[in-house]
Amino acid sequence: MSDRKSTPKAGTGAGTAPRAAAPEVSARAAALPREALEIAAGYAFTGPALHLGALLWEGGCLPDAQIRVPLPMLNRHGLVAGATGTGKTKTLQLIAEQLSAQGVPVFLADVKGDLSGVAAPGRPGDKVGARAAEVQQRWAAKGCPAEFYALGGIGRGIPVRATITSFGPVLLSKVLRLNPTQEQSLGLIFHYADTKGLELVDLKDLRAVVAFLTSDEGKGELKGIGGLSTATAGVILRSLTAFEAQGMADFFGEPEFDTGELLRTAEDGRGVVSVLELAAVQDRPQLFSTFLMWLLADLFHDLPEVGDAERPKLVFFFDEAHLLFDDASEAFLDAITRTVRLIRSKGVGVFFVTQTPKDVPADVLGQLGNRIQHALRAFTPDDQKALKATVKTFPNSAYDLEELLTGLGTGEAVVTVLSEKGAPTPVAATRLRAPESLMGPLDAAELERAVTSSALYGRYAQAVDRESAYERLQASRGGKGPDEIRGGKGPDEIREAVGGAGEHRARQQKEQPSVVEQVVGSGMFKSLARSIGTQIGREITRSVFGTARRRR
């Protein structure tokens, strides 16, 4: 660490916060060097806060200068960044544990498969003991209440699925890698399915609708959808077929996951930590990153406005965040920016986890008030550019940040957060605390027991394939498959079948009371009812991402 330091300038975020908070500094901390005292004063909050670690100054750790983040400010979003192996995962674990203890539910995207240990007590050892002593931490081994999920049931976890309708055309265009024109055309196809009462539950439903529209029998219907050409519809159909052939069908269907499950607390009042295992789908980054965005968008639909709450309703950690933004259309990036900006007022905090801040678009980065920056490497010219760009994103600092960021050790970071008044705190080099839960994955057998013993397992484990667009269209052409759409019933009969879906669903709804009596006790009922209960014959209201607004 460099000895070069300067007093934060008056009038900057780094300079004003310490003076306001200085009276809260402890008597022991008052003996710190002047510059360190000013930094420490910026973190002396009066309300509930999470403890991150102790201040680093001139190569030493100052345990009397504690670095914290106010609990109410954790819905103001944040960034955890740093090179591989610098301790980002342990930082997530440290924050998740304390949020859970404060009664705040947490969502963790577990890309590498090593966050399941948050559910088990940690193991004491010399390294843990030494770190706890250095940062004045009263370390005690303890785990958190946790649920484990897996996309489509691929991997160890309760299956998380989404219907095609709720996923919507904008997010689906991202995973299909469609261009802006094709994305708009897919939106028209969704509009057509909505107005015709063709429920899009899984991939074969959407593929069947597009196949119908590109067939001789469906060309008349295609003409009625403004701006959708046969060629573009054909491209979308081929993309869907290839996507399904890659084994992606498991992620779409029913029972659809109710994102309200992420907001639960345990009987003892601690927040439940929801861990979504993504290690089994690491080779499908476009899919899992977009699925994470679907989770956020769905929460955004359902949660009421709460303004500035005393504590967040949920804190969402979005690992490998750069994958979300890679090759994203301008419309998609705009939608992400709006969602991140607006979901704060619904009590949800979002932390993006990636290697450098430049991985996150500037408009999104500007929404992230809390920053934990681990070490960066500067081995190449590109690395050096990234380092300089990272330094520019911090408030004025008493450190030589370029030198500091390349010299931090594992479990050390540069921190700046929002104070209780919403102003940036001084930049603080920090030796972080040790997590109290297990720093590593659970044993496979233990994880399996945790998954199968969950009350949610019976609700989501078994996939359901009910009548939807595929079955309706297949029935209209005598039971032939979607690739045999030619030669079935005549055009008039097919159009009558498509147009009559609303009437058919109305008849089903009249029979619903007897069905409810039979299945209302089933764990699957809640998920199925959300989709069945949508009024057919009226276009589903769609959000900024094109995802369907559902009733719960």
Side-chain angles (χ1 to χ4, degrees):
M1 185 183 303
S2 171
D3 290 336
R4 189 184 77 82
K5 49 190 179 287
S6 61
T7 304
K9 297 177 182 179
T12 67
T16 55
R19 295 187 180 93
E24 304 294 334
V25 179
S26 68
R28 290 177 62 186
L32 298 173
R34 179 177 60 83
E35 295 93 336
L37 178 61
E38 289 183 350
I39 294 173
Y43 294 87
F45 309 121
T46 57
L50 307 188
H51 291 264
L52 298 178
L55 181 69
L56 289 172
W57 186 256
E58 295 185 342
C61 182
L62 307 179
D64 291 325
Q66 290 291 305
I67 305 304
R68 306 186 299 159
V69 54
L71 182 61
M73 291 295 111
L74 284 166
N75 72 333
R76 301 296 180 93
H77 310 321
L79 176 73
V80 179
T84 300
T86 56
K88 296 191 300 295
T89 300
K90 301 302 178 284
T91 298
L92 306 191
Q93 201 167 336
L94 173 67
I95 297 174
E97 292 171 353
Q98 296 184 69
L99 285 168
S100 174
Q102 296 270 10
V104 178
V106 179
F107 174 89
L108 297 174
D110 188 8
V111 176
K112 296 186 290 292
D114 55 2
L115 279 170
S116 58
V118 73
R123 300 188 182 115
D126 293 341
K127 289 185 177 180
V128 171
R131 175 58 61 96
E134 286 175 340
V135 299
Q136 212 172 81
Q137 176 186 8
R138 296 179 180 176
W139 190 91
K142 61 185 73 168
C144 303
E147 293 282 5
F148 300 97
Y149 302 98
L151 284 186
I154 297 179
R156 293 187 180 93
I158 298 163
V160 174
R161 305 179 186 90
T163 64
I164 291 292
T165 286
S166 73
F167 207 72
V170 178
L171 292 176
L172 191 59
S173 295
K174 177 71 163 59
V175 297
L176 293 176
R177 302 193 177 193
L178 302 182
N179 65 33
T181 299
Q182 294 160 356
E183 177 182 317
Q184 293 168 6
S185 298
L186 184 60
L188 291 174
I189 293 169
F190 270 70
H191 171 82
Y192 172 80
D194 285 341
T195 56
K196 295 298 182 179
L198 294 169
E199 290 188 87
L200 304 177
V201 174
D202 50 29
L203 280 177
K204 71 178 186 297
D205 288 325
L206 181 56
R207 191 157 61 90
V209 171
V210 181
F212 168 65
L213 290 173
T214 55
S215 69
D216 291 339
E217 292 84 353
K219 283 181 178 177
E221 296 288 303
L222 188 66
K223 290 179 181 178
I225 308 176
L228 178 59
S229 69
T230 303
T232 301
V235 171
I236 294 172
L237 179 59
R238 290 192 293 274
S239 297
L240 284 169
T241 302
F243 189 66
E244 193 169 10
Q246 294 168 10
M248 304 300 188
D250 293 328
F251 304 103
F252 299 96
E254 291 178 326
E256 184 174 58
F257 182 68
D258 182 354
T259 52
E261 311 284 13
L262 304 179
L263 303 173
R264 296 184 302 123
T265 55
E267 292 183 359
D268 60 5
R270 289 183 296 167
V272 172
V273 179
S274 299
V275 182
L276 179 65
E277 180 187 331
L278 298 170
V281 291
Q282 283 192 59
D283 58 338
R284 306 168 195 180
Q286 290 275 345
L287 178 66
F288 76 67
S289 64
T290 311
F291 235 100
L292 294 180
M293 201 67 231
W294 170 77
L295 290 174
L296 269 184
D298 199 69
L299 284 165
F300 179 78
H301 297 165
D302 293 347
L303 291 174
E305 295 281 338
V306 296
D308 292 323
E310 292 183 358
R311 66 189 63 228
K313 286 187 174 181
L314 173 72
V315 177
F316 193 103
F317 289 91
F318 205 131
D319 202 2
E320 299 293 341
H322 65 281
L323 298 171
L324 181 67
F325 305 110
D326 288 348
D327 301 321
S329 67
E330 186 176 346
F332 186 77
L333 292 176
D334 287 345
I336 293 175
T337 304
R338 278 178 281 174
T339 301
V340 171
R341 182 171 62 246
L342 297 174
I343 204 170
R344 180 197 68 78
S345 64
K346 299 196 173 191
V348 177
V350 182
F351 275 71
F352 292 98
V353 185
T354 189
Q355 294 205 3
T356 72
K358 73 180 183 63
D359 293 334
V360 181
D363 288 344
V364 176
L365 191 62
Q367 306 293 323
L368 312 181
N370 301 301
R371 297 276 303 278
I372 301 175
Q373 176 68 60
H374 288 266
L376 291 174
R377 309 300 179 219
F379 300 142
T380 69
D382 286 343
D383 289 343
Q384 292 169 1
K385 288 181 182 178
L387 175 62
K388 291 181 182 295
T390 297
V391 169
K392 290 179 181 178
T393 64
F394 280 92
N396 289 350
S397 171
Y399 299 94
D400 180 345
L401 286 179
E402 284 193 36
E403 182 176 342
L404 176 62
L405 286 173
T406 56
L408 291 171
T410 302
E412 297 177 347
V414 172
V415 174
T416 179
V417 301
L418 292 180
S419 70
E420 292 167 313
K421 295 181 179 180
T425 59
V427 175
T430 306
R431 183 159 292 161
L432 299 169
R433 293 188 170 205
E436 296 182 328
S437 56
L438 181 65
M439 290 188 280
L442 284 179
D443 174 81
E446 189 176 355
L447 179 57
E448 186 68 21
R449 283 194 298 272
V451 171
T452 55
S453 64
S454 169
L456 302 181
Y457 186 76
R459 185 178 304 170
Y460 296 109
Q462 185 63 47
V464 176
D465 188 10
R466 62 182 176 85
E467 183 183 82
S468 48
Y470 172 85
E471 288 77 15
R472 296 290 298 160
L473 290 170
Q474 189 180 42
S476 73
R477 51 184 180 268
K480 295 188 177 183
D483 297 324
E484 303 175 276
I485 195 164
R486 302 178 192 275
K489 292 190 175 184
D492 292 340
E493 293 173 287
I494 292 178
R495 291 191 189 106
E496 182 180 351
V498 172
E503 182 181 347
H504 173 77
R505 182 60 63 201
R507 288 198 301 271
Q508 283 188 327
Q509 288 175 334
K510 288 181 181 179
E511 298 168 1
Q512 190 69 11
S514 61
V515 176
V516 171
E517 290 173 4
Q518 297 175 34
V519 302
V520 72
S522 168
M524 298 178 184
F525 175 73
K526 183 178 179 182
S527 176
L528 293 175
R530 293 203 314 273
S531 182
I532 294 173
T534 304
Q535 280 193 332
I536 305 299
R538 181 184 68 183
E539 182 178 0
I540 298 171
T541 302
R542 296 190 180 278
S543 75
V544 68
F545 273 110
T547 51
R549 190 182 301 276
R550 294 163 296 152
R551 296 175 181 175
R552 293 198 170 140

